[in-house]
Amino acid sequence: QLGDTLPQFYLLMKVHKIPLKTRPIVSFPGSLFHPLGVWIDKHLQTVAKTFPTYLQSSFDLLGDFKTLQLPPHRRYRLFTADATSMYTNLSTKESIQ
């Protein structure tokens, strides 16, 4: 029943980070807003899948790399990026309180 559950807090490990870091997650499937979140996710997934650059998983990316054919005798570089300090205007200490 809606509202009968308590929020669950857990951490996801970022094993690719050195030193090891975590991402905090608060799951609250029984909340009043959960059905809205499910509805939004369903519709955003539908839109996202229409983009030619959409990848469902890293396995899709690996499959694309395996079939990628590039002209020989050229140098190629693969770049990746990771967003950091996205909310520098928010005080971490005050946000936690």
Side-chain angles (χ1 to χ4, degrees), residues 2-42:
L2 192 62
D4 285 349
T5 60
L6 294 175
Q8 298 294 313
F9 174 82
Y10 59 95
L11 299 171
L12 291 180
M13 303 302 282
K14 294 182 174 185
V15 296
H16 62 286
K17 298 285 186 176
I18 298 174
L20 189 65
K21 294 185 178 187
T22 58
R23 172 175 292 143
I25 305 292
V26 177
S27 176
F28 200 176
S31 76
L32 182 62
F33 295 106
H34 184 256
L36 176 62
V38 170
W39 183 86
I40 290 171
D41 180 61
K42 177 184 172 186

Side-chain angles (χ1 to χ4, degrees), residues 69-97:
Q69 294 184 8
L70 298 171
H73 311 299
R74 297 194 61 186
R75 294 183 71 182
Y76 298 95
R77 293 184 180 156
L78 174 65
F79 292 91
T80 64
D82 191 9
T84 59
S85 302
M86 293 177 63
Y87 302 101
T88 56
N89 59 334
L90 297 176
S91 164
T92 302
K93 184 177 179 181
E94 290 178 13
S95 297
I96 292 174
Q97 295 176 345

